[in-house]
Amino acid sequence: MDISIVGSGYVGLITAVGLASKGHNLVCIDVDKERVNSINRAEPPFFEEGLSEALRTHAGEEGNLRATLDYEEILGTQATFICVTTCSSSGKSADFRHVKQSTRTIGEVLRAKKDYHVVVTKSSVVPGTTEELVIPLLEETSQKSAGDGFGAGVNPEFLQESEALRCFLNSDRIVIGQFDRKSGDVMSDIYQDFAAPCLRMAIRTAEMIKFASNAFLATKISFINEVGNLCKQLGIDVYEVADGMGYDPRIGRSFLNAGIGFGGSCLPKDLEVLLHRFASLGESAPLLQGVMDVNTAQPLRLVELVRARLGDLKGKTLAVLGLAFKPGTDDLRNAPAVKIIRQLIQQGARVKAYDPRVMAKISEIFNGSLQCGQNVAETIAGSDAVLLLTEWDEFRDVTLYAGKTVIDGRRVLDPTEALRVCHSYEGVCW
Ligand code: UDX
């Protein structure tokens, strides 16, 4: 099928490459000229495992994926996915400006189209948005009626950064929220070569599945962090507890890794948006509010541990290893490491940081008030304590930290070995 994707950010480009690898013809539409050129040169505009190889296969003259600035190219396709960002520039809250703007432009282009066309919201939008905002805007700008002039739907993504392509191609489920059967048929045709079950439902149900899934994952993490905080007081290893719980298939072991909490572009923002939706309807959400509160406090517990070890932080030199919100990505959005560093600097510490992927961005954020290391050894040399904030594999060799005071926010090290090798070692909740 000929498919257009509006927005070539994380979700848009992964979707485009994934669908291209299933034999569809893809055109990526973006307002950023640099990004468009970079895709056409088969150079990934951001780092993601496998993306570079996939672009080399599918982009370029002979390939079935190309990028353009021109929305009119929608006319040559049968379906359009809206994949524009719904994050504010800080990544901290939702911002539907881009969804509105791109929807308007898609509608204006569709005014000239004779054939049936389906518009699919893939950006994460709060339940109700496609029916209350996207479809009315499309109707207004295209001067056609949904279900008659065009089809509509929602197809949420469940991509995890650092393994997004694998997630896309091996989805657990494909969720299709359809305006009507005809729209849903086009969407399920797009996914006909995928092995995953295809679930078809009402549009707002599909939107809710995305938000409820992310809220549930966030709940698991805050739950285990809260349990971990108690375990630490009681001398119990929360990782052994999680392993023991995880054998129960009703619980499962995943997303029970205790630490400094969840970051990234999705879990914090989606939870915030959902809480806002509860509030706007006069509903309270004490459980999900608690999930958020635990996550806000968790990174600061690590700062408290540093203070407990070193006393006043003024003039102390702290080595921070790991900045990205999780390994395998260069993404700093809502990264607990950023919150922690901000606190440390506020309290007068000198911070030297190293991350295998994000050095340039971190100097921008801290505007010169932080030093950047070149590698682990050079970063930790002469420091009063080492803080492990992202679980990159290259940080896992315990011998790197011989004689050091180490505080681990992500269970990077095995505690028994670390206690043997380091001067002192403790985890945020173990
Ligand atoms: C998440 C969802 O997993 C994905 O389905 C959705 O489409 C987008 O949001 P992502 O943001 O890539 O994906 O990150 P994820 O792997 O879920 O991790 C989120 C955060 O939770 C990270 O900061 C991670 O370190 C933290 N986390 C995860 C924990 O603290 N403990 C865990 O057990 C798992």
Side-chain angles (χ1 to χ4, degrees), residues 21-272:
S21 76
K22 294 287 185 185
H24 296 296
N25 298 316
L26 271 296
V27 53
C28 300
I29 301 168
D30 204 284
V31 291
D32 180 343
K33 196 171 176 198
E34 268 302 296
R35 188 160 283 232
V36 164
N37 291 339
S38 139
I39 296 169
N40 286 332
R41 287 195 306 268
E43 287 165 11
F46 50 84
F47 174 77
E48 179 64 35
E49 196 69 51
L51 182 59
S52 184
E53 295 78 355
L55 274 179
R56 279 204 298 274
T57 309
H58 297 288
E61 299 274 291
E62 305 291 297
N64 56 343
L65 182 154
R66 66 200 165 76
T68 176
L69 291 164
D70 186 3
Y71 269 74
E72 294 282 324
E73 299 234 13
I74 287 172
L75 292 171
T77 64
Q78 290 142 273
T80 302
F81 284 85
I82 301 174
C83 296
V84 294
T85 180
T86 51
C87 282
S88 60
S89 54
S90 66
K92 285 201 167 92
S93 56
D95 178 352
F96 292 145
R97 266 180 311 169
H98 302 285
V99 172
K100 284 189 203 160
Q101 186 51 51
S102 56
T103 303
R104 271 199 200 96
T105 316
I106 293 167
E108 280 157 15
V109 171
L110 288 182
R111 201 186 299 178
K113 187 166 177 187
K114 299 265 177 319
D115 300 332
Y116 184 71
H117 192 98
V118 176
V119 180
V120 185
T121 315
K122 205 166 184 50
S123 302
S124 288
V125 289
V126 66
T129 308
T130 300
E131 287 163 327
E132 290 160 23
L133 179 86
V134 175
I135 294 177
L137 265 180
L138 284 171
E139 290 186 319
E140 182 194 320
T141 49
S142 70
Q143 295 177 358
K144 296 177 182 189
S145 308
D148 180 14
F150 65 91
V154 162
N155 170 222
E157 50 82 19
F158 301 96
L159 308 177
Q160 278 183 274
E161 283 189 37
S162 82
E163 40 190 328
L165 258 181
R166 189 196 60 75
C167 286
F168 187 86
L169 295 171
N170 304 289
S171 317
D172 311 304
R173 75 292 207 196
I174 288 151
V175 172
I176 290 181
Q178 55 188 37
F179 178 80
D180 55 11
R181 182 185 284 269
K182 195 175 171 190
S183 314
D185 286 347
V186 172
M187 291 160 71
S188 59
D189 275 357
I190 293 173
Y191 288 102
Q192 67 183 358
D193 287 341
F194 286 68
C198 195
L199 317 174
R200 290 171 63 163
M201 62 197 69
I203 283 181
R204 58 180 60 209
T205 313
E207 289 169 333
M208 185 53 111
I209 286 178
K210 165 74 195 220
F211 276 79
S213 299
N214 275 355
F216 187 72
L217 294 173
T219 304
K220 284 189 91 173
I221 299 169
S222 279
F223 170 84
I224 202 66
N225 285 340
E226 191 165 280
V227 169
N229 294 339
L230 179 64
C231 284
K232 186 172 171 83
Q233 299 288 335
L234 297 174
I236 297 167
D237 182 355
V238 63
Y239 273 71
E240 270 188 68
V241 173
D243 289 344
M245 289 170 64
Y247 277 97
D248 184 335
R250 292 170 303 174
I251 298 172
R253 175 62 181 81
S254 63
F255 277 69
L256 288 181
N257 292 323
I260 46 178
F262 56 85
S265 65
C266 285
L267 296 194
K269 183 222 8 148
D270 287 0
L271 189 56
E272 192 177 294

Side-chain angles (χ1 to χ4, degrees), residues 318-323 352-357 359 372-383 385-402 404 406 412-413:
L318 300 174
V320 166
L321 295 182
L323 300 163
K352 187 163 185 179
Y354 168 69
D355 185 288
R357 291 225 179 259
M359 295 324 295
C372 294
Q374 298 306 310
N375 54 45
V376 175
E378 186 257 339
T379 306
I380 69 177
S383 61
V386 179
L387 316 186
L388 296 169
L389 304 187
T390 313
E391 63 274 39
W392 289 101
D393 278 344
E394 68 179 83
F395 300 161
R396 290 196 191 275
D397 176 2
V398 71
T399 60
L400 291 165
Y401 314 105
K404 287 287 185 193
V406 177
V412 179
L413 302 179

